[in-house]
Each structure stands twice: as C-alpha cells, then as structure tokens.
Amino acid sequence: MTQLFKLSNLTTFLVRFIQIIIVFPMAVLISFYLPPISFIDYELNFLLCVILAAIVSVIVTSINKKLILLTFVGIMGAMFFNSTFDDYTVENLYADYNAMLVNMTSNSSKVSYFKPVKGTYFQERRVKSAMQPTHPAVRSFAVEHSTRYFHDEYYRKYGKMVRYFSLFKHVRNSWRYVNDPLGLDYYSPPTESIKLLAGDCDDYAILMASSIMAIGGEARIVISPNHMYTEVKMGTVEDLDKVSYAVRSLFPDEVTGGKIHFHETNGELWINFDYTAGYPGGPFLEPELYSVINFTNS
C-alpha cells in the first residue's frame, strides 16, 4: 500500500514537472505561427504565447495525464526530426527564449548626435560612383549569401530583415582588413570586393550597402571622424522591439547582454551593419556623425 502511494506521488510529480517544462518550448513554437497583435509590445505577444502554452498544458493534463507525456515526446520529436522546423535545435530554442528575457530587461540605445562637417561632399560623390547595387555579379553575391544562414522559419517570423542579417553574417565573418595604398584613399568597387572579401572600412561599407540594396533593402553610408560604415533601414521606430528580439535570437553569442544601437530619422529605424560590431546594431565605433550618404533618391 505504501509502495503504491509512493509510486502515485512520483507519477504526479513527473506529470507536473513535464507540464511545466514543456510550456516554454511550446510557447516559442507557437510564436512562430501565431501572428503578433500589432497594438501591443513584442514581448507581450510572446507572453501571450506563454499563457496559451500553459493553458494547453493544463487542458491536456486534465484530459489524460498520459497525453502530457505524449505532448512532450511530440514537441521533442518536432524539435529534432520534423522537417517543418529545418535546423531548429535546442540551441535555437534557448536563443529565442533568452532573447525574449534579455529584450524585456535591456533598453536599446539611441544615438542622435550629428555634427555636419565641410569637406565630405567630394567623398560622398566618390562613394556614390563606387556603388554597384544593380550589377549582376553583386546581385548574385547578395542573393546567395542572404539565404546562407537562418532557416526559413525565421524568415516567416521576422521577414526580410533575416536576409539582411544573413548577408551581414557572411560578409562580416569573411572580411579581412587591409589598408589602402600609402597616400591614397582607394574606394574598391563591390565587384572587386566580392572576390577578395578584404579591404578597409569604406570598401566594406560600399560592398555592404550595395549588397543590401541589391536584394531590395534600403541602405545608407555614414561618415564619422575616422570611419565609414553602412546603416540599414529596418522599418519604423515602432518596429524596434521586433528588430531587437530578432537580433538577440539570431546573434545570441555576439549580443549576450548588449544593447541594440540605432539612429532615428523622421521616424525611420536605422541600425548599423559595421564590421567593427559583432552583430547588427552593435556599438558604434564613433558616435559622432559627419555626413550621411543616401542613395534612394540618387
């Protein structure tokens, strides 16, 4: 009798334990398919998914305790074997959950300092002359590497920013810094840079901006006192939470607890794709802005 009682307590404990631990992986999976409610914060949308997962867990348990075990096995099976989720592993699950927690406790950093400086006009003309967003070779390079990383579930969840992030990851991880010829500020055209994946900051910025534009994105190049880098338009400032959550999910090792840095221009959200930062929206090498080179109207 005592043994049966202990066995019953152990079964109850295991059921409750499984009932709890499946809530968060189920919530992450639900968040991939449940369209977010537009008028509430992105973190609250995820919280709703957690609540929904908890309700499902309680209902399943109340129907039949064995079903909760089958649910657990089903979720694990989907995580590891179901092709619907491609390469969505336990590591991805942890990254998504961690991104949600960090996003709720870490504020983004807005930098708006702008200091117009004379002498950047000819620099701007040279940058625009070097850009090649419509060149077939640049287009081919951009398409190939914008789909190299991050499986399609993330694309369905976050949209085209995932393509930009994949492109950033490839170029940034492959880039080798090489100085210009002595006494010459050389701007390498993207068709040259895609073969070498080497050069200095302006070569990188021109390649990155051209590649982003080649796949339909909006990019601009920022000139700071001793540096040049690309910024990419990610939507409006209202999209900041979603962008921040996406960056933390897709670059968990690079971001850790860091901030997402951005510029706001007339309500538009721009984040840097600089090679000096390990992730999109990383810390600015130089927060001062001397000039912003726009291409949409050129």
Side-chain angles (χ1 to χ4, degrees), residues 68-102:
I68 199 67
L69 179 60
L70 292 176
T71 303
F72 174 77
V73 172
I75 291 175
M76 293 301 103
M79 292 292 299
F80 289 104
F81 304 110
N82 197 326
S83 60
T84 302
F85 304 113
D86 276 348
D87 300 319
Y88 195 79
T89 64
V90 173
E91 184 178 350
N92 298 128
L93 176 67
Y94 171 78
D96 277 344
Y97 179 57
N98 182 66
M100 183 272 296
L101 291 180
V102 175

PDB file of all heavy atoms in Angstrom, residues 68-102:
ATOM      1  N   ILE A  68       0.037  14.264 -21.604  1.00  0.00           N
ATOM      2  CA  ILE A  68       1.082  15.267 -21.402  1.00  0.00           C
ATOM      3  C   ILE A  68       2.434  14.684 -21.758  1.00  0.00           C
ATOM      4  O   ILE A  68       3.322  15.361 -22.287  1.00  0.00           O
ATOM      5  CB  ILE A  68       1.068  15.812 -19.954  1.00  0.00           C
ATOM      6  CG1 ILE A  68       1.808  17.161 -19.879  1.00  0.00           C
ATOM      7  CG2 ILE A  68       1.670  14.824 -18.980  1.00  0.00           C
ATOM      8  CD1 ILE A  68       1.141  18.277 -20.600  1.00  0.00           C
ATOM      9  N   LEU A  69       2.617  13.388 -21.484  1.00  0.00           N
ATOM     10  CA  LEU A  69       3.861  12.719 -21.855  1.00  0.00           C
ATOM     11  C   LEU A  69       3.972  12.625 -23.372  1.00  0.00           C
ATOM     12  O   LEU A  69       5.042  12.865 -23.948  1.00  0.00           O
ATOM     13  CB  LEU A  69       3.924  11.331 -21.223  1.00  0.00           C
ATOM     14  CG  LEU A  69       5.166  10.494 -21.551  1.00  0.00           C
ATOM     15  CD1 LEU A  69       6.432  11.222 -21.092  1.00  0.00           C
ATOM     16  CD2 LEU A  69       5.079   9.117 -20.906  1.00  0.00           C
ATOM     17  N   LEU A  70       2.854  12.302 -24.020  1.00  0.00           N
ATOM     18  CA  LEU A  70       2.849  12.225 -25.484  1.00  0.00           C
ATOM     19  C   LEU A  70       3.111  13.606 -26.097  1.00  0.00           C
ATOM     20  O   LEU A  70       3.788  13.725 -27.124  1.00  0.00           O
ATOM     21  CB  LEU A  70       1.509  11.665 -25.974  1.00  0.00           C
ATOM     22  CG  LEU A  70       1.216  10.201 -25.642  1.00  0.00           C
ATOM     23  CD1 LEU A  70      -0.188   9.828 -26.103  1.00  0.00           C
ATOM     24  CD2 LEU A  70       2.247   9.291 -26.311  1.00  0.00           C
ATOM     25  N   THR A  71       2.567  14.632 -25.458  1.00  0.00           N
ATOM     26  CA  THR A  71       2.813  16.001 -25.931  1.00  0.00           C
ATOM     27  C   THR A  71       4.292  16.349 -25.833  1.00  0.00           C
ATOM     28  O   THR A  71       4.874  16.940 -26.747  1.00  0.00           O
ATOM     29  CB  THR A  71       1.999  17.011 -25.105  1.00  0.00           C
ATOM     30  OG1 THR A  71       0.608  16.679 -25.184  1.00  0.00           O
ATOM     31  CG2 THR A  71       2.212  18.432 -25.617  1.00  0.00           C
ATOM     32  N   PHE A  72       4.881  15.963 -24.710  1.00  0.00           N
ATOM     33  CA  PHE A  72       6.310  16.204 -24.514  1.00  0.00           C
ATOM     34  C   PHE A  72       7.143  15.493 -25.574  1.00  0.00           C
ATOM     35  O   PHE A  72       8.033  16.089 -26.196  1.00  0.00           O
ATOM     36  CB  PHE A  72       6.724  15.736 -23.115  1.00  0.00           C
ATOM     37  CG  PHE A  72       8.203  15.803 -22.862  1.00  0.00           C
ATOM     38  CD1 PHE A  72       8.812  17.016 -22.597  1.00  0.00           C
ATOM     39  CD2 PHE A  72       8.987  14.652 -22.875  1.00  0.00           C
ATOM     40  CE1 PHE A  72      10.184  17.084 -22.366  1.00  0.00           C
ATOM     41  CE2 PHE A  72      10.344  14.711 -22.649  1.00  0.00           C
ATOM     42  CZ  PHE A  72      10.941  15.942 -22.390  1.00  0.00           C
ATOM     43  N   VAL A  73       6.834  14.237 -25.815  1.00  0.00           N
ATOM     44  CA  VAL A  73       7.539  13.465 -26.824  1.00  0.00           C
ATOM     45  C   VAL A  73       7.333  14.078 -28.208  1.00  0.00           C
ATOM     46  O   VAL A  73       8.252  14.164 -29.029  1.00  0.00           O
ATOM     47  CB  VAL A  73       7.073  11.993 -26.814  1.00  0.00           C
ATOM     48  CG1 VAL A  73       7.663  11.226 -28.000  1.00  0.00           C
ATOM     49  CG2 VAL A  73       7.466  11.318 -25.505  1.00  0.00           C
ATOM     50  N   GLY A  74       6.097  14.541 -28.470  1.00  0.00           N
ATOM     51  CA  GLY A  74       5.793  15.156 -29.761  1.00  0.00           C
ATOM     52  C   GLY A  74       6.594  16.423 -29.998  1.00  0.00           C
ATOM     53  O   GLY A  74       7.104  16.649 -31.098  1.00  0.00           O
ATOM     54  N   ILE A  75       6.697  17.275 -28.960  1.00  0.00           N
ATOM     55  CA  ILE A  75       7.463  18.518 -29.093  1.00  0.00           C
ATOM     56  C   ILE A  75       8.939  18.227 -29.329  1.00  0.00           C
ATOM     57  O   ILE A  75       9.591  18.823 -30.203  1.00  0.00           O
ATOM     58  CB  ILE A  75       7.286  19.399 -27.841  1.00  0.00           C
ATOM     59  CG1 ILE A  75       5.852  19.945 -27.780  1.00  0.00           C
ATOM     60  CG2 ILE A  75       8.283  20.557 -27.842  1.00  0.00           C
ATOM     61  CD1 ILE A  75       5.554  20.721 -26.526  1.00  0.00           C
ATOM     62  N   MET A  76       9.475  17.292 -28.551  1.00  0.00           N
ATOM     63  CA  MET A  76      10.878  16.925 -28.737  1.00  0.00           C
ATOM     64  C   MET A  76      11.103  16.331 -30.123  1.00  0.00           C
ATOM     65  O   MET A  76      12.119  16.580 -30.778  1.00  0.00           O
ATOM     66  CB  MET A  76      11.310  15.937 -27.649  1.00  0.00           C
ATOM     67  CG  MET A  76      11.352  16.520 -26.242  1.00  0.00           C
ATOM     68  SD  MET A  76      12.488  17.946 -26.086  1.00  0.00           S
ATOM     69  CE  MET A  76      11.329  19.316 -26.086  1.00  0.00           C
ATOM     70  N   GLY A  77      10.131  15.513 -30.570  1.00  0.00           N
ATOM     71  CA  GLY A  77      10.238  14.928 -31.903  1.00  0.00           C
ATOM     72  C   GLY A  77      10.234  15.989 -32.979  1.00  0.00           C
ATOM     73  O   GLY A  77      11.000  15.921 -33.946  1.00  0.00           O
ATOM     74  N   ALA A  78       9.361  16.993 -32.808  1.00  0.00           N
ATOM     75  CA  ALA A  78       9.302  18.093 -33.778  1.00  0.00           C
ATOM     76  C   ALA A  78      10.598  18.883 -33.788  1.00  0.00           C
ATOM     77  O   ALA A  78      11.081  19.308 -34.837  1.00  0.00           O
ATOM     78  CB  ALA A  78       8.125  19.015 -33.450  1.00  0.00           C
ATOM     79  N   MET A  79      11.179  19.060 -32.600  1.00  0.00           N
ATOM     80  CA  MET A  79      12.411  19.825 -32.495  1.00  0.00           C
ATOM     81  C   MET A  79      13.569  19.155 -33.223  1.00  0.00           C
ATOM     82  O   MET A  79      14.409  19.812 -33.834  1.00  0.00           O
ATOM     83  CB  MET A  79      12.786  20.014 -31.007  1.00  0.00           C
ATOM     84  CG  MET A  79      11.845  20.900 -30.225  1.00  0.00           C
ATOM     85  SD  MET A  79      11.920  22.614 -30.763  1.00  0.00           S
ATOM     86  CE  MET A  79      13.623  22.983 -30.405  1.00  0.00           C
ATOM     87  N   PHE A  80      13.619  17.827 -33.148  1.00  0.00           N
ATOM     88  CA  PHE A  80      14.788  17.116 -33.663  1.00  0.00           C
ATOM     89  C   PHE A  80      14.572  16.473 -35.030  1.00  0.00           C
ATOM     90  O   PHE A  80      15.503  16.315 -35.805  1.00  0.00           O
ATOM     91  CB  PHE A  80      15.233  16.044 -32.667  1.00  0.00           C
ATOM     92  CG  PHE A  80      15.853  16.613 -31.424  1.00  0.00           C
ATOM     93  CD1 PHE A  80      15.139  16.643 -30.243  1.00  0.00           C
ATOM     94  CD2 PHE A  80      17.133  17.139 -31.446  1.00  0.00           C
ATOM     95  CE1 PHE A  80      15.704  17.169 -29.096  1.00  0.00           C
ATOM     96  CE2 PHE A  80      17.707  17.664 -30.293  1.00  0.00           C
ATOM     97  CZ  PHE A  80      16.993  17.681 -29.113  1.00  0.00           C
ATOM     98  N   PHE A  81      13.346  16.071 -35.342  1.00  0.00           N
ATOM     99  CA  PHE A  81      13.158  15.261 -36.536  1.00  0.00           C
ATOM    100  C   PHE A  81      12.242  15.856 -37.594  1.00  0.00           C
ATOM    101  O   PHE A  81      12.349  15.535 -38.771  1.00  0.00           O
ATOM    102  CB  PHE A  81      12.617  13.874 -36.151  1.00  0.00           C
ATOM    103  CG  PHE A  81      13.490  13.156 -35.154  1.00  0.00           C
ATOM    104  CD1 PHE A  81      13.063  12.965 -33.853  1.00  0.00           C
ATOM    105  CD2 PHE A  81      14.728  12.680 -35.525  1.00  0.00           C
ATOM    106  CE1 PHE A  81      13.867  12.310 -32.929  1.00  0.00           C
ATOM    107  CE2 PHE A  81      15.539  12.026 -34.608  1.00  0.00           C
ATOM    108  CZ  PHE A  81      15.105  11.842 -33.307  1.00  0.00           C
ATOM    109  N   ASN A  82      11.314  16.693 -37.198  1.00  0.00           N
ATOM    110  CA  ASN A  82      10.326  17.187 -38.154  1.00  0.00           C
ATOM    111  C   ASN A  82      10.938  18.211 -39.091  1.00  0.00           C
ATOM    112  O   ASN A  82      11.465  19.228 -38.679  1.00  0.00           O
ATOM    113  CB  ASN A  82       9.143  17.827 -37.397  1.00  0.00           C
ATOM    114  CG  ASN A  82       7.939  17.984 -38.288  1.00  0.00           C
ATOM    115  OD1 ASN A  82       8.053  18.226 -39.480  1.00  0.00           O
ATOM    116  ND2 ASN A  82       6.759  17.836 -37.715  1.00  0.00           N
ATOM    117  N   SER A  83      10.869  17.976 -40.354  1.00  0.00           N
ATOM    118  CA  SER A  83      11.494  18.857 -41.342  1.00  0.00           C
ATOM    119  C   SER A  83      10.823  20.226 -41.393  1.00  0.00           C
ATOM    120  O   SER A  83      11.367  21.173 -41.960  1.00  0.00           O
ATOM    121  CB  SER A  83      11.437  18.225 -42.734  1.00  0.00           C
ATOM    122  OG  SER A  83      10.087  18.000 -43.130  1.00  0.00           O
ATOM    123  N   THR A  84       9.642  20.347 -40.806  1.00  0.00           N
ATOM    124  CA  THR A  84       8.953  21.634 -40.781  1.00  0.00           C
ATOM    125  C   THR A  84       9.816  22.692 -40.126  1.00  0.00           C
ATOM    126  O   THR A  84       9.795  23.861 -40.507  1.00  0.00           O
ATOM    127  CB  THR A  84       7.625  21.529 -40.001  1.00  0.00           C
ATOM    128  OG1 THR A  84       6.812  20.537 -40.602  1.00  0.00           O
ATOM    129  CG2 THR A  84       6.891  22.861 -40.006  1.00  0.00           C
ATOM    130  N   PHE A  85      10.606  22.288 -39.136  1.00  0.00           N
ATOM    131  CA  PHE A  85      11.416  23.235 -38.386  1.00  0.00           C
ATOM    132  C   PHE A  85      12.860  23.255 -38.849  1.00  0.00           C
ATOM    133  O   PHE A  85      13.715  23.826 -38.202  1.00  0.00           O
ATOM    134  CB  PHE A  85      11.352  22.906 -36.889  1.00  0.00           C
ATOM    135  CG  PHE A  85       9.956  22.875 -36.356  1.00  0.00           C
ATOM    136  CD1 PHE A  85       9.391  21.685 -35.925  1.00  0.00           C
ATOM    137  CD2 PHE A  85       9.202  24.026 -36.310  1.00  0.00           C
ATOM    138  CE1 PHE A  85       8.104  21.654 -35.454  1.00  0.00           C
ATOM    139  CE2 PHE A  85       7.902  23.994 -35.835  1.00  0.00           C
ATOM    140  CZ  PHE A  85       7.348  22.811 -35.408  1.00  0.00           C
ATOM    141  N   ASP A  86      13.162  22.591 -39.952  1.00  0.00           N
ATOM    142  CA  ASP A  86      14.504  22.592 -40.528  1.00  0.00           C
ATOM    143  C   ASP A  86      15.548  22.293 -39.460  1.00  0.00           C
ATOM    144  O   ASP A  86      15.577  21.206 -38.902  1.00  0.00           O
ATOM    145  CB  ASP A  86      14.803  23.926 -41.213  1.00  0.00           C
ATOM    146  CG  ASP A  86      14.268  23.961 -42.631  1.00  0.00           C
ATOM    147  OD1 ASP A  86      13.884  22.904 -43.154  1.00  0.00           O
ATOM    148  OD2 ASP A  86      14.261  25.054 -43.198  1.00  0.00           O
ATOM    149  N   ASP A  87      16.446  23.268 -39.202  1.00  0.00           N
ATOM    150  CA  ASP A  87      17.540  23.088 -38.246  1.00  0.00           C
ATOM    151  C   ASP A  87      17.231  23.740 -36.901  1.00  0.00           C
ATOM    152  O   ASP A  87      18.132  24.191 -36.193  1.00  0.00           O
ATOM    153  CB  ASP A  87      18.836  23.674 -38.819  1.00  0.00           C
ATOM    154  CG  ASP A  87      19.228  23.007 -40.121  1.00  0.00           C
ATOM    155  OD1 ASP A  87      19.100  21.783 -40.200  1.00  0.00           O
ATOM    156  OD2 ASP A  87      19.655  23.723 -41.039  1.00  0.00           O
ATOM    157  N   TYR A  88      15.959  23.795 -36.545  1.00  0.00           N
ATOM    158  CA  TYR A  88      15.584  24.449 -35.295  1.00  0.00           C
ATOM    159  C   TYR A  88      15.875  23.514 -34.136  1.00  0.00           C
ATOM    160  O   TYR A  88      15.096  22.632 -33.804  1.00  0.00           O
ATOM    161  CB  TYR A  88      14.106  24.822 -35.322  1.00  0.00           C
ATOM    162  CG  TYR A  88      13.735  25.804 -34.225  1.00  0.00           C
ATOM    163  CD1 TYR A  88      14.014  27.157 -34.371  1.00  0.00           C
ATOM    164  CD2 TYR A  88      13.159  25.369 -33.044  1.00  0.00           C
ATOM    165  CE1 TYR A  88      13.692  28.059 -33.375  1.00  0.00           C
ATOM    166  CE2 TYR A  88      12.832  26.264 -32.043  1.00  0.00           C
ATOM    167  CZ  TYR A  88      13.108  27.602 -32.219  1.00  0.00           C
ATOM    168  OH  TYR A  88      12.793  28.489 -31.223  1.00  0.00           O
ATOM    169  N   THR A  89      17.045  23.692 -33.494  1.00  0.00           N
ATOM    170  CA  THR A  89      17.525  22.790 -32.461  1.00  0.00           C
ATOM    171  C   THR A  89      17.233  23.338 -31.074  1.00  0.00           C
ATOM    172  O   THR A  89      16.679  24.435 -30.916  1.00  0.00           O
ATOM    173  CB  THR A  89      19.038  22.585 -32.608  1.00  0.00           C
ATOM    174  OG1 THR A  89      19.678  23.850 -32.389  1.00  0.00           O
ATOM    175  CG2 THR A  89      19.389  22.078 -33.999  1.00  0.00           C
ATOM    176  N   VAL A  90      17.643  22.584 -30.072  1.00  0.00           N
ATOM    177  CA  VAL A  90      17.504  23.036 -28.693  1.00  0.00           C
ATOM    178  C   VAL A  90      18.295  24.331 -28.482  1.00  0.00           C
ATOM    179  O   VAL A  90      17.881  25.221 -27.739  1.00  0.00           O
ATOM    180  CB  VAL A  90      17.982  21.941 -27.720  1.00  0.00           C
ATOM    181  CG1 VAL A  90      17.992  22.465 -26.288  1.00  0.00           C
ATOM    182  CG2 VAL A  90      17.097  20.711 -27.825  1.00  0.00           C
ATOM    183  N   GLU A  91      19.419  24.463 -29.174  1.00  0.00           N
ATOM    184  CA  GLU A  91      20.221  25.685 -29.073  1.00  0.00           C
ATOM    185  C   GLU A  91      19.445  26.890 -29.594  1.00  0.00           C
ATOM    186  O   GLU A  91      19.478  27.975 -29.003  1.00  0.00           O
ATOM    187  CB  GLU A  91      21.518  25.514 -29.861  1.00  0.00           C
ATOM    188  CG  GLU A  91      22.470  26.697 -29.727  1.00  0.00           C
ATOM    189  CD  GLU A  91      23.765  26.480 -30.481  1.00  0.00           C
ATOM    190  OE1 GLU A  91      23.997  25.338 -30.934  1.00  0.00           O
ATOM    191  OE2 GLU A  91      24.538  27.452 -30.609  1.00  0.00           O
ATOM    192  N   ASN A  92      18.723  26.705 -30.717  1.00  0.00           N
ATOM    193  CA  ASN A  92      17.891  27.787 -31.249  1.00  0.00           C
ATOM    194  C   ASN A  92      16.776  28.141 -30.266  1.00  0.00           C
ATOM    195  O   ASN A  92      16.447  29.322 -30.090  1.00  0.00           O
ATOM    196  CB  ASN A  92      17.270  27.380 -32.576  1.00  0.00           C
ATOM    197  CG  ASN A  92      18.295  27.091 -33.648  1.00  0.00           C
ATOM    198  OD1 ASN A  92      18.254  26.043 -34.271  1.00  0.00           O
ATOM    199  ND2 ASN A  92      19.219  28.002 -33.858  1.00  0.00           N
ATOM    200  N   LEU A  93      16.190  27.105 -29.658  1.00  0.00           N
ATOM    201  CA  LEU A  93      15.115  27.314 -28.694  1.00  0.00           C
ATOM    202  C   LEU A  93      15.605  28.143 -27.521  1.00  0.00           C
ATOM    203  O   LEU A  93      14.958  29.111 -27.095  1.00  0.00           O
ATOM    204  CB  LEU A  93      14.596  25.961 -28.209  1.00  0.00           C
ATOM    205  CG  LEU A  93      13.520  25.972 -27.123  1.00  0.00           C
ATOM    206  CD1 LEU A  93      12.239  26.566 -27.675  1.00  0.00           C
ATOM    207  CD2 LEU A  93      13.274  24.573 -26.604  1.00  0.00           C
ATOM    208  N   TYR A  94      16.783  27.789 -27.018  1.00  0.00           N
ATOM    209  CA  TYR A  94      17.358  28.542 -25.902  1.00  0.00           C
ATOM    210  C   TYR A  94      17.631  29.985 -26.311  1.00  0.00           C
ATOM    211  O   TYR A  94      17.372  30.925 -25.540  1.00  0.00           O
ATOM    212  CB  TYR A  94      18.653  27.872 -25.430  1.00  0.00           C
ATOM    213  CG  TYR A  94      19.416  28.717 -24.437  1.00  0.00           C
ATOM    214  CD1 TYR A  94      19.009  28.780 -23.104  1.00  0.00           C
ATOM    215  CD2 TYR A  94      20.521  29.467 -24.838  1.00  0.00           C
ATOM    216  CE1 TYR A  94      19.689  29.573 -22.189  1.00  0.00           C
ATOM    217  CE2 TYR A  94      21.203  30.255 -23.934  1.00  0.00           C
ATOM    218  CZ  TYR A  94      20.791  30.303 -22.614  1.00  0.00           C
ATOM    219  OH  TYR A  94      21.466  31.098 -21.719  1.00  0.00           O
ATOM    220  N   ALA A  95      18.154  30.181 -27.525  1.00  0.00           N
ATOM    221  CA  ALA A  95      18.465  31.532 -28.000  1.00  0.00           C
ATOM    222  C   ALA A  95      17.205  32.378 -28.081  1.00  0.00           C
ATOM    223  O   ALA A  95      17.207  33.555 -27.693  1.00  0.00           O
ATOM    224  CB  ALA A  95      19.145  31.465 -29.366  1.00  0.00           C
ATOM    225  N   ASP A  96      16.102  31.805 -28.579  1.00  0.00           N
ATOM    226  CA  ASP A  96      14.844  32.548 -28.672  1.00  0.00           C
ATOM    227  C   ASP A  96      14.324  32.934 -27.293  1.00  0.00           C
ATOM    228  O   ASP A  96      13.879  34.059 -27.072  1.00  0.00           O
ATOM    229  CB  ASP A  96      13.796  31.705 -29.403  1.00  0.00           C
ATOM    230  CG  ASP A  96      13.921  31.814 -30.910  1.00  0.00           C
ATOM    231  OD1 ASP A  96      14.591  32.750 -31.368  1.00  0.00           O
ATOM    232  OD2 ASP A  96      13.358  30.964 -31.610  1.00  0.00           O
ATOM    233  N   TYR A  97      14.370  31.976 -26.369  1.00  0.00           N
ATOM    234  CA  TYR A  97      13.860  32.238 -25.033  1.00  0.00           C
ATOM    235  C   TYR A  97      14.737  33.269 -24.320  1.00  0.00           C
ATOM    236  O   TYR A  97      14.247  34.212 -23.692  1.00  0.00           O
ATOM    237  CB  TYR A  97      13.812  30.942 -24.227  1.00  0.00           C
ATOM    238  CG  TYR A  97      13.326  31.122 -22.813  1.00  0.00           C
ATOM    239  CD1 TYR A  97      12.076  31.693 -22.565  1.00  0.00           C
ATOM    240  CD2 TYR A  97      14.112  30.734 -21.730  1.00  0.00           C
ATOM    241  CE1 TYR A  97      11.629  31.879 -21.269  1.00  0.00           C
ATOM    242  CE2 TYR A  97      13.672  30.922 -20.436  1.00  0.00           C
ATOM    243  CZ  TYR A  97      12.426  31.487 -20.210  1.00  0.00           C
ATOM    244  OH  TYR A  97      11.990  31.663 -18.920  1.00  0.00           O
ATOM    245  N   ASN A  98      16.067  33.119 -24.468  1.00  0.00           N
ATOM    246  CA  ASN A  98      16.985  34.066 -23.851  1.00  0.00           C
ATOM    247  C   ASN A  98      16.814  35.464 -24.434  1.00  0.00           C
ATOM    248  O   ASN A  98      16.875  36.464 -23.724  1.00  0.00           O
ATOM    249  CB  ASN A  98      18.423  33.582 -24.061  1.00  0.00           C
ATOM    250  CG  ASN A  98      19.435  34.496 -23.401  1.00  0.00           C
ATOM    251  OD1 ASN A  98      19.487  34.605 -22.183  1.00  0.00           O
ATOM    252  ND2 ASN A  98      20.245  35.154 -24.206  1.00  0.00           N
ATOM    253  N   ALA A  99      16.588  35.529 -25.754  1.00  0.00           N
ATOM    254  CA  ALA A  99      16.378  36.824 -26.402  1.00  0.00           C
ATOM    255  C   ALA A  99      15.163  37.525 -25.838  1.00  0.00           C
ATOM    256  O   ALA A  99      15.169  38.741 -25.628  1.00  0.00           O
ATOM    257  CB  ALA A  99      16.219  36.634 -27.907  1.00  0.00           C
ATOM    258  N   MET A 100      14.116  36.756 -25.594  1.00  0.00           N
ATOM    259  CA  MET A 100      12.898  37.347 -25.042  1.00  0.00           C
ATOM    260  C   MET A 100      13.158  37.922 -23.649  1.00  0.00           C
ATOM    261  O   MET A 100      12.754  39.045 -23.333  1.00  0.00           O
ATOM    262  CB  MET A 100      11.790  36.293 -24.978  1.00  0.00           C
ATOM    263  CG  MET A 100      10.440  36.805 -24.485  1.00  0.00           C
ATOM    264  SD  MET A 100      10.232  36.758 -22.681  1.00  0.00           S
ATOM    265  CE  MET A 100      10.305  34.988 -22.388  1.00  0.00           C
ATOM    266  N   LEU A 101      13.890  37.170 -22.806  1.00  0.00           N
ATOM    267  CA  LEU A 101      14.161  37.634 -21.444  1.00  0.00           C
ATOM    268  C   LEU A 101      15.051  38.874 -21.448  1.00  0.00           C
ATOM    269  O   LEU A 101      14.773  39.856 -20.744  1.00  0.00           O
ATOM    270  CB  LEU A 101      14.835  36.514 -20.643  1.00  0.00           C
ATOM    271  CG  LEU A 101      13.978  35.296 -20.305  1.00  0.00           C
ATOM    272  CD1 LEU A 101      14.806  34.288 -19.515  1.00  0.00           C
ATOM    273  CD2 LEU A 101      12.739  35.690 -19.504  1.00  0.00           C
ATOM    274  N   VAL A 102      16.119  38.850 -22.255  1.00  0.00           N
ATOM    275  CA  VAL A 102      17.039  39.982 -22.305  1.00  0.00           C
ATOM    276  C   VAL A 102      16.358  41.207 -22.880  1.00  0.00           C
ATOM    277  O   VAL A 102      16.548  42.326 -22.405  1.00  0.00           O
ATOM    278  CB  VAL A 102      18.292  39.628 -23.144  1.00  0.00           C
ATOM    279  CG1 VAL A 102      19.188  40.859 -23.306  1.00  0.00           C
ATOM    280  CG2 VAL A 102      19.066  38.499 -22.486  1.00  0.00           C
TER     281      VAL A 102
END
